[in-house]
Amino acid sequence: MKKIINKLIGDSSKTPLRHRMTNTALLINILYGFITIPANYFIKLPFYSFLTLIFTVLLFSVLYYFSRLKKKAEICVYIAISYTFLVFTPVMWFSNNGLEGGFLFYIFLFGAFTLAVVEGKKLLFFLLMLFTVSISLIIIGYIYPELVTQYPTKTDKFIDLFISFILVFIGILFLMYYYTKQFYKYNKKLNDTNVKLEGVNIQLSDRIKEREVLLHEVHHRVKNNLQMVSGLLRLQCNASNNSDLCKLLQISQERINTISSVHELLYRSDNLKSIDINEYINSLVNNIKISSYTDKRNIIINTDLHNSIIEINKIIPCGLIINELLSNSIKHAFDTNGGIINIKGQSKNKEYIVYISDNGNGLSENFEIKKLNSLGFKLILGLTDQINGDFKFNRLEKGVEFILKFKAS
């Protein structure tokens, strides 16, 4: 039986569900026609009804051929529905006693099949067509009752209603059975797919965790290597009798430590793409305090930074700029009495603004950053361009304020 059904409506593993439903609808309509042709003949309904049924069976047979064998299910079902609603329904309605005839059952059956094989805006169009035709037929039958063919006898009426009801009942049962079977089949496939996807998700999750561990390890090793380089520079400085060379080595060591602290934070963080600038700058300031002996020189560094997540490709240049500015203030802004350095940061309109100010000796009147030969300020300007930022300074009543502005992400 299953092989016969697969041959008639299409193999479920190869033919789409909507196409199989189209083939089923066409076959049931052909079956309906074969049974009702002799019934209409024997109960002596109008001859044009008999001819319409024969033509419909032939038309639906041709449509079934193109739908099943030529794979033209879409256009075939639209032709079948349009013909049924616009031609077949009016003819059979008037020849089968209108509302009191058995054809009323057929309209419900074909409406159910329409819901099964049509979707989207086309479904709405066909349902509106069925509704319009049905209402029109009811109105016409009410206004012109002479157009509606009556049954010759009550027995003929009963036979027609009984045959129509049985056919529609079988059709609805088949539709329900088929849909239920397909539902369980697709539900099983869906469950199997979900199980496979869960397995794939577990594998992907494990791989992601492995890569995160590897990335943390990479940052840890980069930090260690940078610290090793910093240690080598310190050893070179200790072994050198040249004080100028030693100062240059210390500056390079501070810059390396600035980069190293980023990798240290990434190693300890769950986020491998960005860093909280508040945590980073506080770590940077603590390292500078230790390396520059600010406590012994009475230099106080205050920080007031709003939390903001900054990408790695911007946090390192930002840290190097702050390191250069702090180093310059510590080395050149204060005398033996010391002073105060304030670092403030805030987010504003998707930008992050860093203010670095001191109450030191300030800048000379002819000070211009772009005309300086200082490697530090050249580095600051280059790093500012790298992050598409803006760098400027303001002279204060006592001291100077540097302002760095860049997009947070």
Side-chain angles (χ1 to χ4, degrees):
M1 185 64 181
K2 185 177 180 181
K3 291 182 179 180
I4 295 174
I5 292 177
N6 286 338
K7 285 184 178 181
L8 289 175
I9 66 176
D11 189 354
S12 59
S13 62
K14 299 178 181 179
T15 308
L17 176 61
R18 289 179 61 243
H19 290 190
R20 296 198 302 276
M21 294 306 303
T22 299
N23 300 334
T24 305
L26 292 172
L27 283 173
I28 289 181
N29 279 278
I30 293 170
L31 176 65
Y32 182 90
F34 274 125
I35 295 176
T36 53
I37 285 174
N40 279 16
Y41 179 79
F42 285 117
I43 63 177
K44 299 177 182 179
L45 289 176
F47 188 69
Y48 66 84
S49 171
F50 177 74
L51 292 179
T52 302
L53 282 170
I54 294 176
F55 177 78
T56 302
V57 170
L58 293 175
L59 174 63
F60 276 45
S61 298
V62 173
L63 293 177
Y64 171 77
Y65 169 77
F66 282 99
S67 173
R68 175 69 182 90
L69 301 178
K70 298 296 183 179
K71 311 299 182 184
K72 303 290 184 181
E74 294 289 340
I75 186 65
C76 289
V77 75
Y78 298 149
I79 294 174
I81 293 174
S82 300
Y83 168 80
T84 302
F85 291 168
L86 298 177
V87 179
F88 186 68
T89 298
V91 172
M92 301 307 293
W93 177 272
F94 289 113
S95 64
N96 281 264
N97 204 19
L99 276 172
E100 297 183 10
F103 186 69
L104 183 65
F105 295 112
Y106 180 83
I107 294 177
F108 290 123
L109 176 62
F110 208 83
F113 275 119
T114 304
L115 291 171
V117 298
V118 183
E119 59 184 12
K121 294 181 179 179
K122 295 174 183 176
L123 173 61
L124 179 62
F125 170 76
F126 283 121
L127 290 180
L128 285 174
M129 182 190 295
L130 175 62
F131 177 76
T132 304
V133 170
S134 301
I135 294 298
S136 301
L137 293 175
I138 292 172
I139 294 173
I140 294 172
Y142 179 77
I143 298 175
Y144 303 102
E146 65 275 8
L147 297 177
V148 180
T149 301
Q150 304 294 324
Y151 288 106
T153 64
K154 291 184 178 180
T155 303
D156 293 331
K157 179 179 179 180
F158 173 79
I159 292 172
D160 191 32
L161 289 174
F162 180 77
I163 292 174
S164 299
F165 177 78
I166 292 298
L167 287 174
V168 171
F169 183 73
I170 293 172
I172 295 293
L173 284 180
F174 183 83
L175 193 64
M176 293 174 61
Y177 163 76
Y178 199 81
Y179 259 132
T180 303
K181 183 179 178 181
Q182 293 300 323
F183 171 77
Y184 282 114
K185 182 184 293 185
Y186 282 109
N187 193 40
K188 184 178 182 301
K189 287 184 179 180
L190 184 62
N191 290 334
D192 294 340
T193 303
N194 287 337
V195 172
K196 291 180 181 178
L197 287 176
E198 287 179 2
V200 172
N201 286 336
I202 292 173
Q203 292 179 359
L204 290 175
S205 179
D206 292 340
R207 290 181 182 179
I208 291 172
K209 289 179 181 179
E210 289 176 3
R211 291 184 180 183
E212 287 180 352
V213 171
L214 290 174
L215 285 173
H216 280 97
E217 184 64 22
V218 167
H219 286 298
H220 183 58
R221 294 193 179 190
V222 170
K223 180 209 68 170
N224 289 342
N225 291 335
L226 289 173
Q227 288 182 344
M228 185 181 296
V229 174
S230 176
L232 291 173
L233 293 177
R234 184 169 59 252
L235 291 174
Q236 185 65 50
C237 177
N238 294 335
S240 175
N241 295 324
N242 189 329
S243 59
D244 292 334
L245 175 61
C246 192
K247 289 180 181 179
L248 292 175
L249 292 174
Q250 286 177 347
I251 293 173
S252 297
Q253 183 182 348
E254 290 174 358
R255 291 168 180 164
I256 290 172
N257 289 336
T258 300
I259 300 173
S260 174
S261 60
V262 171
H263 292 283
E264 170 65 19
L265 290 174
L266 288 172
Y267 169 67
R268 292 190 283 106
S269 173
D270 292 331
N271 189 347
L272 297 172
K273 293 182 179 180
S274 52
I275 289 177
D276 185 353
I277 193 171
N278 182 16
E279 183 181 5
Y280 172 59
I281 292 180
N282 281 323
S283 174
L284 182 63
V285 168
N286 290 332
N287 292 336
I288 292 175
K289 285 180 179 179
I290 295 172
S291 61
S292 301
Y293 303 102
T294 55
D295 293 338
K296 292 182 179 180
R297 297 176 57 187
N298 295 322
I299 298 175
I300 300 173
I301 303 178
N302 299 319
T303 58
D304 181 16
L305 299 154
H306 293 179
N307 292 338
S308 184
I309 303 300
I310 309 296
E311 297 173 350
I312 298 174
N313 60 346
K314 293 187 177 182
I315 196 71
I316 292 179
C318 178
L320 289 170
I321 292 171
I322 294 172
N323 176 72
E324 292 296 324
L325 294 173
L326 287 177
S327 298
N328 285 338
S329 293
I330 292 171
K331 293 175 183 177
H332 305 295
F334 305 109
D335 51 26
T336 55
N337 294 326
I340 299 174
I341 300 174
N342 293 314
I343 305 175
K344 295 182 179 181
Q346 64 178 13
S347 297
K348 188 176 182 181
N349 296 330
K350 296 184 179 180
E351 291 185 328
Y352 198 84
I353 307 173
V354 182
Y355 303 90
I356 302 176
S357 61
D358 63 59
N359 61 348
N361 299 323
L363 302 174
S364 60
E365 292 295 330
N366 58 352
F367 178 83
E368 290 186 27
I369 295 177
K370 295 183 179 180
K371 292 183 179 180
L372 291 176
N373 291 323
S374 168
L375 176 61
F377 278 104
K378 287 182 179 179
L379 181 62
I380 289 172
L381 294 177
L383 292 171
T384 302
D385 291 337
Q386 182 178 328
I387 60 176
N388 297 320
D390 180 54
F391 180 77
K392 59 183 180 180
F393 69 92
N394 296 322
R395 289 183 175 86
L396 304 177
E397 183 177 345
K398 188 176 182 181
V400 65
E401 179 185 55
F402 295 97
I403 302 172
L404 173 64
K405 182 188 297 184
F406 61 94
K407 287 190 176 181
S409 62

